[in-house]
Amino acid sequence: MDSYPAIEDHGLIGDLQTAALVTCDGTVDWFCAPRFDSPSIFAALLDKDKGGYFRIAPCDVRYVTKQLYLPGTPILITRFISADGVAEVMDFMPVTGERATDTHRLVRLVTMVRGSMRFKVECRPRFDYAREEHQLETHRHGYIFRSRSASLTFNPVDPVRHLIAERGDVRLENGDLVAYGTLNQGDTGGVVLETGDADPRIFSPEEVQGMFEWTRDYWRRWLERSRYTGRWREMVERSAITLKLMTYAPTGAMIAAPTAALPELVGGTRNWDYRYTWVRDTSFSVHALLGLGFTEEVSRYMDWLDERIREAGDLQDPLKIMYRVDGSSDLHEETLDHLEGYRGSRPVRIGNGAADQVQLDIHGEALYAMHLADEQGIRVSHQVWKSTVRLVDWLCRHWDQADAGIWESRHHPRNYTFGRVMSWVALDRAVRLATRTGRPGDITSWSDQRNRIYNQVMERGYDRGRGTFVQAYDESVLDAALLAMPAVGFVTPSDPLWQSTLAAIERELVSDSLVHRYDPVHSPDGLPGHEGTFNMCTFWYVEALARSGRLDDARLTFEKMFTFSNHLGLYAEEIASTGEQIGNYPQAFSHLSLINSALTLNDLLDAEADAHRRR
């Protein structure tokens, strides 16, 4: 690779156990296997020279590229358009099912639509984040790249000559494979990459066509379960597919993003590994998924969350803020000093040291999800409820302490207002659950502690001099996390205390409708440098505006956000001052908050329209 593509110049494909990123020029530059959080096989996204990649693209011709998804699916089509012809590369991963497996297939098919083109195929894997050497084995029907801990099989699609021609057009370069082939109008060629220890073979066109049709039909059948018929349906459905792509089918856990170490500021140090399941993120997705009608996905996630609650409750410990997709919690953070990072953004981190932080708010998100699921008939077992009671009792004893906060500050702990608000949510939803279901719990104590939290937030979380709720007690800094207060029911949208807070956030954290999380200059988080605006916070702002009755402002802000998505409707974590997407990509929090904003805004716009009609 000659240079780094923009983060947004990628499409996402996946098989519900792992995923890959494909650039607009036909390069797979990020792929980990056999799971989302496994070591990488291709990681040129983090080091263009050392990371490894798999590229299929025309050579010796000038062309432009266009990219789109096959409607209703995550099957990616990259189009190469030149005066000599038009070709399409179709990339997809057949869904693997709910049993964890080491075998994953990445299918790349090339079709010559018009004219003819000569193609160059480069397969340059670098196993274990480019830390392991590998050998290339030549077999009668294909090739195997083999390292100490993993292997990758290169299987041609028949007729082989259509893409990689004859053996004389294949070069082996220090363990890498480079091949050339010319396609004429109507020709189709391809490659099936396969992880695990499979022998190379030539795939027939009929077998590959079968994989394509099965994958296409699986996703379209899944999407048909959505009951959303409101405004912005295309964006909402693309976000739903993206969230599903980031869900690990064997457990139902959703990762925050399929990438690691993509910077929040190009050249900066805020480069984290997001290939894990945050209790906060996935719990907030419950509202989005239920709103679209995907109850099965919610049920699977709640099973996963129930196990985490049982583990914490049985040990009388708080929930951890994040876990691996299998529920394990060893997320040791390390830096990969041999990789230069995306556009020189170092350090490159894998693992996540924030996993051991205490963040009080996650108990609120977990009980919020449990309460929503229970309303839809997705109820916890007796054993899980017993563990939930222990967890809530722990929170009653420990809510009044400093913590690391929602933004995972690596500075000193503080008394974050949002952490107290979500602790209130945890106790409030626990009381509601116990009352509605008749299950045992110390409702009197829970209610008393809930009321104490509420009064404390009103006394210490609200700066009467500034007229706003603030990020932390005894401080005057604002925090965009406060935008969630009306949505969780802590304040009513019309409350003057909230309205003055919303006005202050607009003055200090909103820039051209985009929202910063906080100002790190006035709220040190233990890290150098700045960051972009945070997409999730912008969508929270949309929802806050809508709930406050400012529907025109909410709609304009919402639709402005569409201009910051990429050509496929995908969002990273943040938007840079240049308008580029930055941070890990695509980001589950961005997409689930888009869905939640659409649900709220669409309902309120419908209600407004109904009111006008009745007049």
Side-chain angles (χ1 to χ4, degrees):
M1 293 178 64
D2 297 328
S3 61
Y4 288 96
I7 290 172
E8 64 219 57
D9 286 348
H10 290 84
L12 178 71
I13 60 174
D15 63 5
L16 304 185
Q17 293 191 22
T18 187
L21 294 185
V22 186
T23 70
C24 290
D25 72 347
T27 303
V28 178
D29 62 359
W30 182 255
F31 176 53
C32 301
R35 295 192 328 198
F36 295 111
D37 57 355
S38 297
S40 66
I41 295 175
F42 301 121
L45 189 60
L46 298 181
D47 193 309
K48 61 184 178 61
D49 297 320
K50 300 176 184 176
Y53 61 91
F54 179 26
R55 186 179 187 197
I56 299 177
C59 59
D60 305 324
V61 64
R62 296 183 63 181
Y63 58 84
V64 297
T65 65
K66 305 291 182 181
Q67 210 171 44
L68 72 156
Y69 280 119
L70 187 70
T73 79
I75 297 172
L76 187 66
I77 301 171
T78 304
R79 289 169 52 81
F80 297 94
I81 304 168
S82 77
D84 296 328
V86 176
E88 294 181 346
V89 176
M90 180 182 292
D91 290 303
F92 66 94
M93 296 180 67
V95 174
T96 51
E98 296 183 359
R99 174 176 291 185
T101 178
D102 291 340
T103 301
H104 301 272
R105 289 175 174 170
L106 198 165
V107 182
R108 312 203 70 190
L109 298 178
V110 187
T111 300
M112 201 66 217
V113 178
R114 173 176 59 80
S116 64
M117 284 185 183
R118 183 168 170 79
F119 279 82
K120 182 179 181 180
V121 179
E122 297 177 84
C123 192
R124 304 179 185 273
R126 298 293 184 267
F127 295 92
D128 189 22
Y129 310 106
R131 292 185 294 193
E132 289 185 3
E133 298 291 335
H134 72 270
Q135 291 79 42
L136 176 56
E137 301 174 1
T138 301
H139 292 250
R140 180 181 178 187
H141 296 304
Y143 305 86
I144 298 179
F145 302 88
R146 198 182 300 279
S147 75
R148 177 181 57 81
S149 63
S151 64
L152 182 70
T153 304
F154 184 102
N155 304 291
V157 175
D158 197 45
V160 176
R161 65 183 181 279
H162 278 180
L163 186 59
I164 62 174
E166 304 301 329
R167 290 283 181 178
D169 289 317
V170 177
R171 298 205 311 266
L172 309 184
E173 300 178 351
N174 299 318
D176 298 333
L177 184 150
V178 180
Y180 295 86
T182 298
L183 271 65
N184 299 310
Q185 184 169 320
D187 287 346
T188 295
V191 174
V192 178
L193 289 188
E194 191 170 12
T195 65
D197 199 12
D199 291 330
R201 65 187 180 90
I202 296 175
F203 278 73
S204 70
E206 293 76 17
E207 184 175 4
V208 173
Q209 181 67 18
M211 288 191 290
F212 162 74
E213 291 177 359
W214 191 91
T215 303
R216 178 198 62 195
D217 295 345
Y218 171 89
W219 285 100
R220 288 181 173 171
R221 285 195 304 269
W222 179 81
L223 194 59
E224 285 173 357
R225 290 168 41 205
S226 171
R227 63 182 182 214
Y228 186 78
T229 58
R231 301 166 180 83
W232 317 291
R233 184 173 174 180
E234 185 175 347
M235 290 295 288
V236 168
E237 290 184 345
R238 181 53 54 192
S239 289
I241 290 173
T242 304
L243 293 180
K244 179 70 170 176
L245 275 174
M246 289 189 277
T247 301
Y248 184 66
T251 64
M254 182 186 295
I255 58 170
T259 57
L262 289 181
E264 297 176 18
L265 175 69
V266 174
T269 62
R270 299 167 183 261
N271 317 319
W272 314 110
D273 189 347
Y274 277 14
R275 299 170 298 157
Y276 310 112
T277 298
W278 268 252
V279 169
R280 176 188 305 110
D281 302 35
T282 316
S283 294
F284 274 135
S285 77
V286 167
H287 181 268
L289 294 171
L290 288 175
L292 300 182
F294 292 114
T295 54
E296 181 180 330
E297 282 67 26
V298 171
S299 182
R300 293 297 313 285
Y301 168 65
M302 292 308 301
D303 288 342
W304 181 90
L305 180 61
D306 290 348
E307 285 299 309
R308 310 291 80 75
I309 289 175
R310 284 190 61 179
E311 293 164 1
D314 293 349
L315 295 173
Q316 299 188 18
D317 283 339
L319 282 170
K320 289 185 175 292
I321 69 167
M322 72 181 91
Y323 301 83
R324 293 186 183 273
V325 289
D326 62 0
S328 60
S329 56
D330 177 17
L331 278 74
H332 172 70
E333 184 173 296
E334 60 180 308
T335 60
L336 303 180
D337 295 330
H338 64 289
L339 298 181
E340 73 170 11
Y342 178 79
R343 295 186 180 177
S345 303
R346 282 177 165 159
V348 174
R349 295 185 179 91
I350 57 172
N352 200 308
D356 294 324
Q357 289 183 348
V358 174
Q359 298 176 18
L360 293 171
D361 69 278
I362 62 168
H363 303 93
E365 284 98 11
L367 268 295
Y368 176 81
M370 185 182 292
H371 178 259
L372 287 176
D374 185 84
E375 287 182 323
Q376 299 298 317
I378 304 171
R379 296 193 167 91
V380 300
S381 68
H382 166 69
Q383 202 62 40
V384 171
W385 178 251
K386 286 175 60 178
S387 298
T388 302
V389 168
R390 295 190 190 100
L391 189 65
V392 175
D393 288 342
W394 180 92
L395 188 61
C396 283
R397 298 190 300 272
H398 295 281
W399 64 263
D400 196 11
Q401 64 172 291
D403 71 330
I406 180 176
W407 308 128
E408 299 174 2
S409 171
R410 300 201 175 192
H411 203 43
H412 60 82
R414 298 152 76 190
N415 292 304
Y416 287 98
T417 302
F418 183 76
R420 296 301 201 280
V421 168
M422 294 309 294
S423 294
W424 175 90
V425 169
L427 295 170
D428 178 72
R429 296 328 190 256
V431 169
R432 295 191 199 189
L433 278 165
T435 302
R436 183 167 65 231
T437 62
R439 286 179 165 176
D442 193 347
I443 295 177
T444 300
S445 175
W446 296 353
S447 299
D448 177 63
Q449 294 300 318
R450 177 193 62 186
N451 297 340
R452 285 187 59 198
I453 297 171
Y454 181 88
N455 290 330
Q456 187 188 85
V457 169
M458 289 302 183
E459 291 170 7
R460 300 186 62 192
Y462 187 81
D463 186 325
R464 301 194 180 279
R466 295 200 64 196
T468 70
F469 288 100
V470 290
Q471 183 180 63
Y473 292 173
D474 306 318
E475 299 181 20
S476 59
V477 175
L478 290 172
D479 190 328
L482 301 172
L483 290 166
M485 292 174 70
V488 299
F490 189 87
V491 296
T492 59
S494 60
D495 192 314
L497 301 181
W498 168 247
Q499 284 296 311
S500 62
T501 301
L502 179 58
I505 289 174
E506 288 182 300
R507 289 193 305 270
E508 299 183 26
L509 297 182
V510 178
S511 174
D512 187 28
S513 299
L514 301 175
V515 182
H516 291 274
R517 294 189 293 182
Y518 54 88
D519 182 352
V521 173
H522 297 101
S523 178
D525 54 14
L527 296 164
H530 294 270
E531 61 181 16
T533 54
F534 208 75
N535 292 333
M536 177 191 69
C537 294
T538 302
F539 288 122
W540 279 0
Y541 176 50
V542 169
E543 196 166 349
L545 289 172
R547 291 178 184 276
S548 296
R550 295 167 56 184
L551 294 182
D552 287 343
D553 292 339
R555 185 168 189 170
L556 178 59
T557 301
F558 191 50
E559 296 195 7
K560 274 187 177 181
M561 271 301 287
F562 293 168
T563 69
F564 291 101
S565 75
N566 80 338
H567 56 289
L568 298 168
L570 303 182
Y571 290 90
E573 183 178 26
E574 301 180 16
I575 304 295
S577 58
T578 58
E580 293 178 289
Q581 297 204 37
I582 52 176
N584 283 303
Y585 169 93
Q587 176 85 346
F589 235 154
S590 298
H591 287 278
L592 69 89
S593 54
L594 182 154
I595 295 171
N596 284 332
S597 296
L599 292 168
T600 298
L601 183 53
N602 186 70
D603 286 348
L604 291 173
L605 286 170
D606 282 349
E608 182 185 58
D610 289 343
H612 283 311
R613 282 192 292 268
R614 288 195 298 269
R615 289 175 188 162

